[in-house]
Amino acid sequence: MPKSANSTTPKGRALAGSGPTADLSPIHNYKRPDMTPRDHLVMMLTAGAQIEHALMVQYLYAAYSIDTDQASQEIREKVKGWRANILSVAREEMGHLLTVQNVLVLLGAPVNFGRQMLPWDHEFYPFPFSLEPLSLESLECFIYAEMPRVDSIRKPAPGKQRSKSAAPRFSAAKQEQVIQEITGRLAKRFPKKNIAHDMHRVGELYDEIIALISDHEKIPDSAFDEASFGMQAAGDDWARGYKPVPKLVDPEGTIVKAHRPASGTPHPAFADQDAYVQVDRAATRAEAVKALRALAAQGEALHLRHNDIDEPSHFERFVQIYEEFKTLKSGNLVHAVPRNPTTRIDFHKLKPRRTTYIGVDHHDEVAAHYFAQLFNQRYRLLLSYLSHSFRLARMHPLNEPSLRGMVMHRAFGEMYNLKAIAGLLVRLPRHGGGRAGPPFEMPYTLDLPHSEADIWLLHRDLIAASQKTCSEIFRLAKAKDYEAVNRQIVGTGGDVYLRTLMKIDVQTVDWINKIVAGHGSNERTSP
Amino acid sequence: MTIKQLRILPPFAIGRLGSASEPMDNYSFEVDANPDDPLGYRRLKAEPTLIVNKNGEIGSERTPTTLEFKRGKKIRPVAPFLEVFAVNEKDQLVPLTAGLLKKHGLTVKDISWQVSVSNRKVVRRTENPDDLVHAEIGFSDHQSHTLKGECNNFIDGASIDFGSVRFIRPNEKFPEIRLRFTPAAGLIYGPDRIKLPPRAKELYPDYYRIPKQRQIYKHDKGWYGFRDAKNETVPPSLYAIEPPAPSWLYNNVAISRGYLDDACDGLVEVHLKVKDRTLSAMARICAAPPAMAPDSLFVRTLADDLEQVIYGPEIAPNEPPAVTVARAQDIVRRAYETVRFMNVAVMNGNDFKGRPALSLDSMPQEEAADTERAIRPVMPAGTVDTHAIMTLHQQAYAALRAGAAPWFLRLLRRPDEAADFTDRGRRKMPALMCGADNNYLALTWRQIDTIKKATLDRPVVKPHTAPANGLTPKNLSAQISYEAKGNPICSRPVTSVANCCPGLEVDFRAVWRRMFRGIELREHDNLVVDLSEDCDEVVERLEDDALRPSDLKGHRLLRVVLGTGDALLMMTPIWGPASSDTEAKISLTTSKNPNGLAALEWSNALARVLPYKGSRLRCDFTAEPAAAHQPFSEHPKNYVSFSCEVRSFFEEDTAVISSELAAPGELTQGLCSPWQNDYRECSCYYWASARPDYVNVDLTAGGLSAGDNWMQRERTKTYVADDYADTRLIMYDELFANWESVLRFQIGGKDDPLDSDARDKKK
């Protein structure tokens, strides 16, 4: 029996008011009465996916902002360690993103690669989305988003025991101190906000999701489509280089004790901490719960963890960076990249204080503008390939080379492109000082066309747009009065990269044309 | 000016076999020749070619307009020149010329040469010294001298033609002192009498009949009919066998047909009488198969290994980041140049058109056979397609060229992880290929350190190769890469593969056998196979009640302890996936390998030993003879320690591999006899860009790759997977009889359009 609008939440908070004028906003842990529990679950999972995506790009932006060109080798190694760890976190968020997509697929829901769905997600969004250079302030937000529940720090969750070999990096006291410090500083920075209400731990959302998905009454077994397993993203495909070292077992399958890290064994050096990208599939409710728990544990703490993988949580990584950042003079540790760069003057005019326009009005910023535009185009391609890979999973067998595998490789290729272009952007100047940054601007839609041929034509169209951007950069580089463009792209090595990218794109278009022709769309093989 | 010393450059020159009368023109290749095609194949560039006329002079120099690797159906051999240099009083290397000789009151007649080459392939198997084929000649004239390889077990008067050498007559335009080595035609020799296999006419109608004039090996001297070597090579049975072949499909029965080839390696010496003394210099030569994909380089070459020998496994901290980054980019480029010649889906261990992967040749199949574990693909089967994988490599290359620091250091396989057959281990890079230890290929430590340093250095915008430091007596690297006038790039170590299992040009494993004075190890593992007569004098016992050094035959070298105290183990565990837990691993053992250990390849395992040349290091050997691999153990102690002197890798003050490490013939003795047999048996996952697999590759309407197997007779764009029996593929006897015609050069990943055989086939 569905609960009435006056139902209390498990935390005992009653819904304010009742009747037709009652506030029906989804509040913490309460679904709207016009939604089924399954729908509410899907909504939360969708929000979860979007939050993972949002966190990932914010982490990436922070990582790319780090200036590794430090004269001092000691500082260079330190900041490279920060960058490496933040990129590891971003990779792991990618794993989370894909895992959440898998649970959506399990429930028969559409995948979602968006980043925000106001007003549905404001109860869960960790902090207001903002692309910012790494700073103590941004680290505070990251830590807050990833931190564990304070009451779980000293005692594990029921039924769980902390493994000695998975000892935390920081003592319980230290963790509590950091959380208190962070919370206090955030409260001072956002004095009008009730931190506890308007900023959220990511773990809160997953607690809700896990609680609901575990509820046999609200989410019956029939809600789970076991046959969807083969359509889900596999860790073997997406995370193969980022798995932990296998543990050694004897012929009977018993872990060989000698190969277990002994209690008190020092953790690997911070800079050498690998990423462990978890992309879990689920065929059943139990597997979905397990996957979601693992995802949450990777973010915040070990108390939910079931294995002995010796890797720091996201929370621990950010705390480490935070503590180190405090000890160094931050002046030259990050590039002077802007907040929320945008290539759109219209959007900048809407939010002039929150965004930084990288435009074409000044010749010394033109190169940055077009590279930022190129970044957006490749970002969109990446998201399209990701979405397409899930669509193709329905059609192609897994045991032989197929377009699904090829699209997956394309997605990886676009990740490399984003890395490369971001690296160029933070070296390109803006008019008036400072450097550019990767804008990560979302396209107007991520929806894929209905027919397979049209999806390929969409990819081709996006590549054509990218090729046009590259050509335009070269055209301007040769144009009179645009010497700055030429100087900047040559000075950063952007010219070499663009030529290489254009060559790859020519090959890609050729590839797509063959595929489209194979779909019987010969007449559409040329744009 | 004083002539203090002489040098021959290059110190190592590779000749390439072929029967055409005119040697191959000089050529090089360029990267980034076309700025609009930065990912394209290296562009072959014709270079000035020296034309030697009948009287031994260089009559002219011309640059051809096109590069023809074949003339008619014959492959043009690569005949390198070796130039003599003088070290003057300023320690400069200057070309030795007729004019310089004259200034010292000398003439060209004061120059003499001694060339000594051998083919020891049969000796390596039979261990019968009478099977040595050796040619030696001394001369000072300008005639072309045939290198006649003689053997005690040949019929009277017979010999193998190893090619020729000629002291080039200097003239006004080309006054330098040089020698030319022209390798042989790539012929096969065999026994003077044979007994055909049963039902040969019916079952093996193409059984190769060696021409009468090359039936020279006495049929009753052991090589014909040889089988079951006591001191086996790795891979085993690397020789032409009586059908059916290959042996591993037929109960490992490998009965030798008694074939020999005309490949060889050895030493070239020049002597100059100066008043009361004689100055001498030395270089090495070898004759190898042609470089069939001349516009591609392998991911790990002999040049990489030699660079590690010279400079060590670690990059100098003061190497300019721009140089390091350039080399890191070059490694990635060579990676995709290699992978584009591999049918990745098949090499991955996928089933092929419904056929089980176990029936096809690949690293997973080898791994399954060696460890008796179920075959499984390395990467997920649905994700491997050559075009896609190559494009991904190109994307990585593009990112590097944009200045991104390498992010894939952790994805590179360490040399001591070569036997990690878990999924995590197998998926490391380079993927799907075999290393010199017969396990998964690893780069050199130095190549890995290049990537590491590029990751940690300050960002670089414009990478560049290291500035040429000039040719000096001390600059060994410059000497090894020296481009003698007229020599195509394929005569240099950069075009020689380094994952010698056994190799193509040389078996580089052979040079490490005698790294410790008095002791000889087997080239492919740590077994002591021989000891010098004076080993009890030159090897010191460190334990009073221990064995004598002369008792060490049959023991195994377990580890070497450096002067720093670091211990280098010579073995690595073999790991495999646990069947019941995808996140676990187990030790893979067999009855022959109960400890589940694999030998490390020497080039990486002993890289840190080389700086100790002339000094002694502690070497720990098994306390007992050990037929199987043994782990190192302190408790209980299973080893005895000796103090061994480390030999110098190079001849003093030169870049010539020391004659103490390898006598003539020993650099090629581990290779297949005849080498043509290896083109049939050693698949592309050994040296994809030298022995290609996947050629003429294009895209299908399905967006996947389609191409030919390099070894398939008819080019149909339908790949024929190699099961060693498919008659659509070139088989052994066809190679023996007609290799020059059936093997096609690859230019731009496609059959060379100038190849007349390719044109005939198209008709």
Side-chain angles (χ1 to χ4, degrees):
Chain A
M1 178 80 99
K3 294 192 177 175
S4 72
N6 284 335
S7 297
T8 59
T9 70
K11 287 185 181 171
R13 281 161 43 197
L15 183 59
S18 61
T21 58
D23 180 358
L24 295 178
S25 313
I27 60 169
H28 213 50
N29 198 32
Y30 186 75
K31 73 166 185 66
R32 287 175 58 88
D34 57 352
M35 294 172 72
T36 65
R38 178 194 165 279
D39 200 18
H40 181 67
L41 175 61
V42 168
M43 183 275 290
M44 288 200 292
L45 284 165
T46 305
Q50 299 201 350
I51 288 166
E52 300 289 358
H53 184 176
L55 286 176
M56 183 174 63
V57 301
Q58 289 173 102
Y59 295 162
L60 285 172
Y61 195 87
Y64 292 146
S65 75
I66 296 172
D67 185 358
T68 57
D69 190 11
Q70 301 290 329
S72 154
Q73 183 175 342
E74 186 191 344
I75 295 180
R76 187 165 70 243
E77 286 178 6
K78 191 168 288 278
V79 300
K80 283 208 175 205
W82 296 351
R83 186 183 156 114
N85 273 273
I86 298 176
L87 289 175
S88 288
V89 172
R91 288 190 188 99
E92 291 175 355
E93 295 295 354
M94 179 74 177
H96 296 175
L97 172 62
L98 291 175
T99 297
V100 174
Q101 307 295 350
N102 285 344
V103 178
L104 283 167
V105 170
L106 176 66
L107 289 165
V111 296
N112 189 294
F113 288 98
R115 242 167 39 195
Q116 211 152 14
M117 53 181 208
L118 284 171
W120 293 93
D121 60 2
H122 78 94
E123 291 288 338
F124 312 116
Y125 224 77
F127 48 83
F129 181 91
S130 186
L131 296 176
E132 300 192 5
L134 187 72
S135 63
L136 283 175
E137 289 74 22
S138 62
L139 281 165
E140 286 159 10
C141 291
F142 298 165
I143 292 171
Y144 193 93
E146 302 278 3
M147 70 186 190
R149 282 204 327 260
V150 175
D151 60 0
S152 70
I153 290 174
R154 289 190 183 268
K155 52 185 178 184
K160 297 289 176 188
Q161 265 197 309
R162 190 185 302 284
S163 165
K164 285 183 182 169
S165 66
R169 262 65 173 170
F170 303 100
S171 66
K174 178 64 180 175
Q175 292 181 57
E176 288 165 352
Q177 176 260 310
V178 168
I179 290 173
Q180 194 173 17
E181 177 184 331
I182 296 294
T183 312
R185 288 173 64 90
L186 286 170
K188 283 182 189 167
R189 278 171 57 198
F190 306 106
K192 292 182 185 172
K193 291 182 188 292
N194 179 342
I195 299 299
H197 191 263
D198 292 323
M199 290 187 71
H200 303 100
R201 295 183 306 108
V202 176
E204 289 175 30
L205 172 61
Y206 285 107
D207 287 342
E208 303 288 345
I209 291 172
I210 290 169
L212 181 55
I213 203 172
S214 305
D215 190 324
H216 287 246
E217 282 188 18
K218 289 182 181 155
I219 310 292
D221 289 342
S222 59
F224 301 100
D225 180 10
E226 186 179 11
S228 72
F229 191 78
M231 296 189 288
Q232 297 172 22
D236 237 16
D237 291 339
W238 292 97
R240 66 179 94 112
Y242 294 98
K243 291 190 173 181
V245 177
K247 52 186 182 286
L248 177 64
V249 298
D250 64 19
E252 280 73 46
T254 308
I255 294 179
V256 174
K257 285 191 189 305
H259 286 260
R260 251 191 164 138
S263 175
T265 301
H267 299 292
F270 182 61
D272 296 331
Q273 298 286 359
D274 287 337
Y276 170 31
V277 179
Q278 298 179 79
V279 180
D280 291 324
R281 294 191 283 177
T284 65
R285 181 201 312 271
E287 288 183 351
V289 170
K290 185 179 170 189
L292 291 165
R293 282 185 182 276
L295 183 162
Q298 189 171 55
E300 58 182 59
L302 302 163
H303 68 284
L304 293 175
R305 188 167 299 168
H306 66 281
N307 55 26
D308 292 337
I309 296 165
D310 184 28
E311 57 136 346
S313 65
H314 296 181
F315 169 69
E316 287 168 326
R317 290 187 199 252
F318 285 130
V319 168
Q320 176 88 23
I321 297 171
Y322 181 71
E323 294 296 312
E324 290 180 3
F325 201 104
K326 282 195 287 188
T327 64
L328 293 179
K329 286 186 186 162
S330 61
N332 296 322
L333 299 178
V334 297
H335 295 293
V337 297
R339 284 182 78 214
N340 299 313
T342 178
T343 57
R344 296 185 60 145
I345 186 67
D346 54 350
F347 184 60
H348 174 62
K349 285 179 179 171
L350 271 179
K351 295 186 183 287
R353 288 197 299 174
R354 276 189 55 78
T355 63
T356 310
Y357 176 54
I358 301 179
V360 292
D361 300 327
H362 304 281
H363 290 185
D364 58 354
E365 198 171 272
V366 165
H369 170 82
Y370 280 102
F371 270 95
Q373 182 173 291
L374 182 66
F375 185 94
N376 289 337
Q377 289 166 327
R378 302 321 289 211
Y379 180 42
R380 186 176 175 190
L381 256 172
L382 166 61
L383 297 175
S384 293
Y385 285 141
L386 277 172
S387 194
H388 194 189
S389 72
F390 277 88
R391 182 83 71 91
L392 288 168
R394 297 193 186 100
M395 306 173 202
H396 292 277
L398 297 173
N399 61 346
E400 56 190 59
S402 67
L403 285 176
R404 176 178 161 273
M406 307 310 111
V407 166
M408 187 193 74
H409 284 307
R410 295 286 164 174
F412 278 111
E414 293 308 324
M415 291 180 205
Y416 300 162
N417 278 330
L418 294 186
K419 179 198 296 285
I421 301 169
L424 291 167
L425 277 167
V426 300
R427 285 182 267 144
L428 285 169
R430 280 184 292 129
H431 180 72
R435 306 282 186 91
F440 282 107
E441 291 179 285
M442 290 289 282
Y444 70 94
T445 183
L446 291 174
D447 292 341
L448 292 179
H450 177 71
S451 81
E452 189 57 23
D454 283 328
I455 297 175
W456 288 107
L457 291 173
L458 168 65
H459 296 324
R460 192 183 72 187
D461 199 40
L462 296 179
I463 291 171
S466 169
Q467 287 174 312
K468 189 156 177 267
T469 300
C470 295
S471 298
E472 182 64 7
I473 295 173
F474 280 121
R475 186 192 72 78
L476 287 168
K478 290 182 197 160
K480 192 169 170 244
D481 298 333
Y482 281 87
E483 293 82 9
V485 173
N486 186 57
R487 198 171 54 247
Q488 287 167 11
I489 67 166
V490 171
T492 56
D495 56 336
V496 174
Y497 168 71
L498 288 178
R499 287 203 175 83
T500 314
L501 177 66
M502 290 171 83
K503 178 64 185 176
I504 294 173
D505 281 346
V506 166
Q507 291 171 181
T508 304
V509 168
D510 184 42
W511 175 62
I512 292 175
N513 281 340
K514 289 210 160 51
I515 295 168
V516 171
H519 281 282
S521 302
N522 276 314
E523 70 280 4
R524 307 177 75 188
T525 55
S526 298
Chain B
M1 191 200 116
T2 308
I3 301 176
K4 283 173 43 180
Q5 295 171 348
L6 297 180
R7 296 282 187 277
I8 299 177
L9 298 178
F12 182 73
I14 303 169
R16 305 266 180 189
L17 301 158
S19 70
S21 55
E22 192 183 337
M24 182 60 203
D25 294 318
N26 185 12
Y27 69 90
S28 62
F29 50 56
E30 297 174 314
V31 177
D32 290 340
N34 179 359
D36 292 323
D37 189 12
L39 301 168
Y41 285 84
R42 296 172 192 254
R43 191 177 76 175
L44 296 177
K45 187 180 166 208
E47 297 283 1
T49 300
L50 303 180
I51 309 298
V52 179
N53 60 24
K54 284 187 182 152
N55 73 345
E57 284 183 56
I58 298 172
S60 60
E61 181 182 36
R62 62 167 173 79
T63 303
T65 50
T66 55
L67 290 170
E68 294 177 55
F69 291 91
K70 285 190 185 178
R71 283 270 158 85
K73 293 183 187 299
K74 297 178 187 252
I75 290 180
R76 298 172 72 189
V78 171
F81 294 93
L82 292 99
E83 299 172 358
V84 183
F85 280 74
V87 180
N88 65 15
E89 69 280 2
K90 296 179 188 170
D91 272 339
Q92 295 167 326
L93 277 171
V94 297
L96 186 67
T97 62
L100 188 59
L101 288 169
K102 192 176 175 186
K103 279 184 190 167
H104 287 81
L106 302 167
T107 71
V108 173
K109 288 188 172 22
D110 293 309
I111 298 268
S112 64
W113 299 88
Q114 186 80 18
V115 179
S116 171
V117 295
S118 298
N119 181 319
R120 297 180 57 93
K121 294 181 180 182
V122 178
V123 176
R124 173 60 186 85
R125 276 88 186 167
T126 63
E127 299 186 290
N128 178 356
D130 285 334
D131 282 329
L132 171 67
V133 187
H134 181 70
E136 190 151 346
I137 189 165
F139 56 94
S140 53
D141 59 23
H142 304 288
Q143 302 300 314
S144 176
H145 295 278
T146 300
L147 295 167
K148 283 175 59 176
E150 294 173 338
C151 173
N152 289 343
N153 284 340
F154 285 176
I155 58 178
D156 290 342
S159 63
I160 287 181
D161 179 350
F162 283 144
S164 62
V165 284
R166 191 169 201 174
F167 177 15
I168 303 297
R169 189 194 303 273
N171 57 26
E172 197 177 316
K173 200 167 172 212
F174 300 95
E176 298 87 2
I177 303 300
R178 51 166 62 85
L179 173 131
R180 187 174 209 179
F181 166 51
T182 303
L187 301 174
I188 293 175
Y189 298 74
D192 59 344
R193 199 189 308 168
I194 63 168
K195 186 176 170 191
L196 284 174
R199 297 165 62 200
K201 281 187 185 165
E202 174 194 344
L203 295 177
Y204 317 116
D206 295 327
Y207 189 94
Y208 179 54
R209 310 301 181 99
I210 293 180
K212 181 77 179 161
Q213 65 273 22
R214 299 205 298 272
Q215 295 174 11
I216 60 174
Y217 182 89
K218 291 178 185 168
H219 66 279
D220 57 349
K221 287 299 182 182
W223 180 228
Y224 175 56
F226 175 80
R227 60 185 295 176
D228 303 326
K230 292 195 191 100
N231 181 16
E232 188 58 274
T233 56
V234 165
S237 310
L238 284 176
Y239 46 84
I241 66 173
E242 299 288 19
S247 59
W248 60 85
L249 295 182
Y250 301 98
N251 300 315
N252 292 315
V253 173
I255 301 171
S256 169
R257 291 198 198 188
Y259 287 3
L260 302 93
D261 63 29
D262 53 14
C264 64
D265 77 86
L267 300 167
V268 169
E269 294 173 57
V270 68
H271 306 285
L272 173 64
K273 275 196 211 151
V274 181
K275 293 178 186 172
D276 57 347
R277 60 192 177 118
T278 302
L279 297 176
S280 300
M282 192 164 70
R284 285 187 180 267
I285 55 174
C286 76
M292 299 305 300
D295 54 5
S296 296
L297 287 183
F298 193 58
V299 67
R300 177 176 161 185
T301 71
L302 185 60
D304 295 311
D305 283 50
L306 288 172
E307 191 175 287
Q308 178 163 267
V309 167
I310 294 169
Y311 294 117
E314 288 165 12
I315 305 296
N318 61 353
E319 176 174 273
V323 171
T324 311
V325 167
R327 289 198 286 106
Q329 291 181 4
D330 176 64
I331 293 170
V332 174
R333 184 180 228 284
R334 286 193 270 146
Y336 80 69
E337 289 186 8
T338 300
V339 83
R340 64 188 168 194
F341 280 115
M342 300 172 72
N343 187 323
V344 178
V346 175
M347 294 300 120
N348 189 53
N350 285 14
D351 289 347
F352 181 75
K353 295 182 180 175
R355 297 168 65 190
L358 207 51
S359 65
L360 305 173
D361 198 14
S362 65
M363 275 301 289
Q365 184 272 334
E366 285 229 356
E367 180 202 317
D370 288 344
T371 62
E372 286 306 319
R373 288 293 182 276
I375 189 171
R376 65 208 190 285
V378 175
M379 312 284 182
T383 65
V384 286
D385 170 82
T386 296
H387 184 261
I389 300 292
M390 185 191 71
T391 303
L392 192 61
H393 280 71
Q394 290 175 332
Q395 292 274 191
Y397 182 66
L400 291 179
R401 299 207 70 178
W407 59 94
F408 42 81
L409 178 65
R410 61 193 299 286
L411 300 179
L412 294 179
R413 178 178 297 108
R414 290 166 48 98
D416 52 10
E417 293 175 330
D420 182 352
F421 299 154
T422 62
D423 281 346
R424 188 175 190 272
R426 295 191 307 160
R427 289 170 181 176
K428 290 200 169 185
M429 302 290 133
L432 309 181
M433 284 184 279
C434 188
D437 44 29
N438 207 33
N439 296 312
Y440 283 96
L441 174 65
L443 300 177
T444 64
W445 285 115
R446 188 172 179 81
Q447 285 180 296
I448 295 169
D449 203 50
T450 298
I451 303 290
K452 182 179 175 185
K453 186 170 180 286
T455 306
L456 297 174
D457 267 339
R458 299 178 74 164
V460 163
V461 173
K462 296 288 184 194
H464 57 79
T465 52
N469 283 335
L471 200 55
T472 68
K474 295 264 186 266
N475 191 342
L476 303 185
S477 178
Q479 292 176 42
I480 283 175
S481 57
Y482 176 71
E483 300 173 20
K485 203 173 175 99
N487 283 3
I489 190 166
C490 62
S491 65
R492 303 209 290 270
V494 73
T495 60
S496 171
V497 298
N499 53 334
C500 294
C501 194
L504 267 179
E505 290 81 9
V506 294
D507 182 353
F508 193 56
R509 299 173 300 179
V511 305
W512 303 94
R513 298 167 303 140
R514 302 193 196 103
M515 190 48 61
F516 299 105
R517 189 177 293 281
I519 292 172
E520 182 174 323
L521 300 163
R522 194 152 58 177
E523 74 276 336
H524 62 78
D525 70 6
N526 56 352
L527 185 71
V528 177
V529 293
D530 205 2
L531 298 145
S532 63
E533 286 181 10
D534 63 350
C535 66
D536 283 335
E537 284 81 50
V538 301
V539 178
E540 291 177 8
R541 286 195 283 179
L542 294 178
E543 298 165 36
D544 287 336
D545 57 349
L547 301 170
R548 290 175 308 165
S550 50
D551 295 324
L552 279 175
K553 190 167 178 178
H555 293 241
R556 289 184 179 269
L557 174 64
L558 294 176
R559 70 172 192 174
V560 178
V561 182
L562 301 178
T564 55
D566 292 336
L568 307 176
L569 290 173
M570 299 293 114
M571 311 293 294
T572 187
I574 305 175
W575 302 121
S579 302
S580 61
D581 183 348
T582 55
E583 293 183 7
K585 67 182 181 187
I586 56 172
S587 173
L588 293 182
T589 61
T590 64
S591 55
K592 285 186 184 167
N593 193 356
N595 295 296
L597 294 169
L600 294 172
E601 51 118 344
W602 294 124
S603 193
N604 274 322
L606 293 179
R608 291 173 66 192
V609 162
L610 296 175
Y612 294 91
K613 63 179 181 184
S615 302
R616 290 181 169 276
L617 292 177
R618 176 179 141 192
C619 295
D620 296 333
F621 295 84
T622 53
E624 302 291 333
H629 294 310
Q630 298 288 324
F632 176 84
S633 171
E634 288 279 15
H635 306 289
K637 185 171 177 239
N638 72 338
Y639 65 91
V640 289
S641 302
F642 292 86
S643 173
C644 302
E645 181 190 331
V646 178
R647 280 195 157 118
S648 179
F649 192 90
F650 294 116
E651 294 286 327
E652 193 175 350
D653 289 337
T654 75
V656 182
I657 297 173
S658 168
S659 52
E660 288 189 324
L661 294 181
E666 289 188 325
L667 288 186
T668 51
Q669 68 179 21
L671 305 180
C672 206
S673 184
W675 61 266
Q676 290 89 337
N677 200 79
D678 223 11
Y679 271 69
R680 191 63 206 86
E681 288 190 356
C682 271
S683 187
C684 89
Y685 53 88
Y686 285 84
W687 334 282
S689 56
R691 187 272 191 224
D693 168 44
Y694 208 19
V695 298
N696 304 320
V697 181
D698 283 318
L699 290 169
T700 63
L704 300 176
S705 307
D708 298 306
N709 187 321
W710 185 56
M711 293 289 280
Q712 71 190 63
R713 291 204 192 84
E714 298 291 331
R715 298 324 208 198
T716 59
K717 282 286 170 71
T718 301
Y719 179 83
V720 177
D722 196 347
D723 61 359
Y724 294 96
D726 198 318
T727 54
R728 291 175 291 173
L729 297 170
I730 298 163
M731 300 306 277
Y732 295 93
D733 294 281
E734 212 169 341
L735 274 170
F736 299 152
N738 215 7
W739 66 273
E740 287 186 279
S741 184
V742 299
L743 294 181
R744 300 180 217 190
F745 285 90
Q746 297 300 304
I747 308 297
K750 309 270 199 274
D751 293 330
D752 183 4
L754 296 180
D755 187 325
S756 59
D757 289 290
R759 290 199 298 269
D760 290 345
K761 288 285 181 203
K762 276 187 185 168
K763 290 175 195 169

